[in-house]
Amino acid sequence: MLTSILAAIGVLVGLGGLAVGGYALWRTRRAADDCRALVHRLLPEGSGVDVRAIRDVGVVRYDALEEMSGARSFSLALLNAAGDGIVVTSINGRTESRTYAKAVQGGRAAEELSPEEYRAIRAARMGRQTEAAGSFPAPEEGGAVRTLVPGARAAGAPPSPG
């Protein structure tokens, strides 16, 4: 008899939990719809504002190769208001040039970023068009940022000893 009562109470509590979860889901969806409607009211289609347009631009110039000076290499970030876009990197030497492009979503790239690419994205997001390569510290996430060219140094930075 006690087991039957506890089982019934358990079923009722479980159904109550499902009801609370369903209500929370309904409220969350309603809040998301309200937010979406608010954004559409603030930026109507005829306003001329396109949230997908490139808005943030950041450039980092640096000396990628020991043989070159004058900060001929660069990383260029082109992002929209949501932080989506691309980062283009050009490594320039005396006899050859290499260019890389990486997609960016929400201010982060799916591929590994060099410190200069990270700084270009950060400069764009902060509204600074150009930055010296040493202006922002690279993130300390394990392996998230790598050196694109061994021996790369910031524009104007002294050459590394050795």
Side-chain angles (χ1 to χ4, degrees):
M1 171 98 164
L2 181 63
T3 308
S4 299
I5 293 173
L6 289 176
I9 291 173
V11 168
L12 290 175
V13 169
L15 289 174
L18 285 174
V20 169
Y23 178 72
L25 178 64
W26 175 75
R27 292 279 310 236
T28 302
R29 287 185 177 165
R30 193 170 112 197
D33 290 341
D34 291 346
C35 183
R36 204 172 293 115
L38 178 64
V39 168
H40 286 298
R41 271 198 314 261
L42 292 175
L43 296 173
E45 292 297 322
S47 72
V49 176
D50 186 0
V51 295
R52 298 169 298 168
I54 293 175
R55 184 186 87 168
D56 300 328
V57 177
V59 178
V60 174
R61 295 182 55 183
Y62 54 96
D63 294 324
L65 304 172
E66 294 287 333
E67 66 189 44
M68 295 292 293
S69 63
R72 299 291 180 219
S73 299
F74 66 89
S75 291
L76 167 69
L78 302 167
L79 307 173
N80 66 11
D84 301 336
I86 62 169
V87 61
V88 177
T89 297
S90 179
I91 306 297
N92 298 304
R94 291 191 191 280
T95 59
E96 69 178 321
S97 179
R98 295 181 185 180
T99 304
Y100 306 90
K102 297 177 183 175
V104 177
Q105 289 186 338
R108 296 188 179 274
E111 298 178 60
E112 203 170 10
L113 293 174
S114 71
E116 294 82 12
E117 289 167 332
Y118 169 79
R119 289 180 183 106
I121 291 171
R122 177 101 185 247
R125 296 297 286 168
M126 294 183 73
R128 299 177 183 168
Q129 285 76 31
T130 59
E131 288 295 330
S135 297
F136 297 116
E140 295 298 327
E141 302 168 16
V145 175
R146 65 175 173 79
T147 302
L148 193 60
V149 177
R153 59 186 173 91
S160 57

